[in-house]
Amino acid sequence: MINKIWFFIIAFSIAFAATNGRLELLNQEIFASLKSSLDLSLGLLGSMMLWCGLLKAAEKAGLVEKLSSIIRPAVGSLFQDIPAGSAAMGAMIMNITSNMLGLGNAATPFGLKAMTELQKLNKEKDTATNAMCQFLVINGAPICLIPSTVISIRASLGSGNPGAIIIPSIISSAAAITVGVICCKVMERIGGNAR
């Protein structure tokens, strides 16, 4: 579907430029956009490699495990219907911790594993449990302590202080996750299942 939408937008733009005698201007804009996209991509490449390397080193140094032990009580209190020693709980904690450190690639396998394990605990296989819905909300709006992608984009676009986004990012993601968890808990009380 999205391919059809993109095709329509591109075809409409070319037809509009052709009927108004602006094909040359469209051609110039296409190449200017390509150049700016390439400049942005190359700028992102260096800073993303730096941040990913630093975060991978922190992961290897055991920072993920230390942070996991800190957040374990909070996650346990949010997901009281899941046994503390279950594989689902361990995978959820590792997913949340990886997301907090900006390790999105490392977080994805843990998130998939957590959902698989939560489905094993699910009695109604065709309906998502409260824990599944709540984990999805937490995974969709994670608190990110180091927003490396945004910092990289800001640096590649010439920001004077690319790290200035860290505190606002923490505040906004904390607000998003708080609202999400509250909504899940309200839905649990209203309908029995947060769907």
Side-chain angles (χ1 to χ4, degrees), residues 46-64:
S47 52
M48 283 300 288
M49 286 172 25
L50 171 71
W51 279 106
C52 288
L54 285 173
L55 293 171
K56 201 65 171 167
E59 181 184 17
K60 297 262 186 211
L63 186 61
V64 174

Side-chain angles (χ1 to χ4, degrees), residues 24-42:
E24 183 61 33
L25 183 61
L26 178 65
N27 192 32
Q28 291 172 0
E29 276 304 311
I30 289 172
F31 284 106
S33 297
L34 289 173
K35 183 183 179 312
S36 65
S37 298
L38 185 61
D39 290 343
L40 178 62
S41 298
L42 290 175

Side-chain angles (χ1 to χ4, degrees), residues 88-107:
M89 186 63 77
M92 285 191 300
I93 289 170
M94 291 304 289
N95 172 270
I96 292 167
T97 305
S98 297
N99 274 328
M100 288 177 79
L101 293 175
L103 300 168
N105 292 340

Side-chain angles (χ1 to χ4, degrees), residues 1-187:
M1 180 66 180
I2 196 77
N3 290 337
K4 292 177 183 176
I5 293 171
W6 277 111
F7 176 78
F8 175 75
I9 291 171
I10 292 168
F12 180 76
S13 301
I14 292 170
F16 186 78
T19 56
N20 289 313
R22 297 180 181 253
L23 275 176
E24 183 61 33
L25 183 61
L26 178 65
N27 192 32
Q28 291 172 0
E29 276 304 311
I30 289 172
F31 284 106
S33 297
L34 289 173
K35 183 183 179 312
S36 65
S37 298
L38 185 61
D39 290 343
L40 178 62
S41 298
L42 290 175
L44 278 174
L45 186 63
S47 52
M48 283 300 288
M49 286 172 25
L50 171 71
W51 279 106
C52 288
L54 285 173
L55 293 171
K56 201 65 171 167
E59 181 184 17
K60 297 262 186 211
L63 186 61
V64 174
E65 285 81 16
K66 288 178 184 168
L67 191 56
S68 294
S69 64
I70 293 170
I71 69 165
R72 186 175 296 275
V75 174
S77 67
L78 284 175
F79 297 96
Q80 294 175 353
D81 53 338
I82 297 174
S86 76
M89 186 63 77
M92 285 191 300
I93 289 170
M94 291 304 289
N95 172 270
I96 292 167
T97 305
S98 297
N99 274 328
M100 288 177 79
L101 293 175
L103 300 168
N105 292 340
T108 301
F110 290 122
L112 294 172
K113 174 75 172 161
M115 279 299 197
T116 301
E117 294 298 325
L118 287 170
Q119 182 65 8
K120 288 178 185 175
L121 298 172
N122 190 359
K123 292 178 181 133
E124 296 179 41
K125 299 297 183 189
D126 62 341
T127 304
T129 64
N130 291 331
M132 292 170 104
C133 295
Q134 187 166 311
F135 177 67
L136 188 61
V137 167
I138 290 171
N139 195 37
I143 293 177
C144 187
L145 300 177
I146 305 170
S148 55
T149 304
V150 177
I151 291 172
S152 299
I153 291 171
R154 288 173 52 88
S156 69
L157 292 174
S159 172
N161 185 6
I165 194 68
I166 293 174
I167 299 299
S169 173
I170 292 171
I171 293 169
S172 63
S173 61
I177 203 167
T178 301
V179 169
V181 168
I182 289 170
C183 288
C184 282
K185 293 299 182 187
V186 167
M187 293 301 293

